[in-house]
Amino acid sequence: MDKKNALRAGALAAGTTLMMLLMSSPALALTRDDGDDPGPGLSVIQTLGLYVVAPIALFVIIAGLVMVLGKSHAKKDTTTSNINVKGEAKA
């Protein structure tokens, strides 16, 4: 019974994907719509800056803020992660 359901689900997924690909032809992207006014294209440097450098910079800034704020919170932490379990008694 599981093979039959898996085969049915696979056929449905493949059929849906094929229909989506057939309905969205890339040739339709070449025709302009009324009122379409595209701006100038981006250079290679601008494209890399926008889609590569900017996300990496945002990631580094957010990670840095999380680390800095996390360290300041660790000093005030009174849970079991901050308790010293080693004995201080000397024999």
Side-chain angles (χ1 to χ4, degrees):
M1 194 65 165
D2 285 341
K3 274 187 176 181
K4 190 175 182 181
N5 286 339
L7 185 61
R8 185 178 297 155
L12 181 66
T16 305
T17 304
L18 182 63
M19 289 304 294
M20 294 284 284
L21 287 173
L22 291 174
M23 296 299 285
S24 62
S25 172
L28 296 175
L30 296 177
T31 59
R32 289 285 168 93
D33 292 332
D34 290 337
D36 192 13
D37 188 21
L42 297 175
S43 69
V44 174
I45 300 298
Q46 290 172 332
T47 303
L48 288 175
L50 184 63
Y51 294 109
V52 176
V53 176
I56 291 173
L58 283 172
F59 176 80
V60 168
I61 290 169
I62 293 170
L65 286 172
V66 168
M67 286 175 29
V68 167
L69 295 175
K71 286 183 180 180
S72 67
H73 176 70
K75 294 176 184 174
K76 297 182 232 174
D77 190 15
T78 58
T79 60
T80 58
S81 64
N82 202 21
I83 296 174
N84 188 5
V85 294
K86 293 189 178 185
E88 296 180 13
K90 295 186 179 185

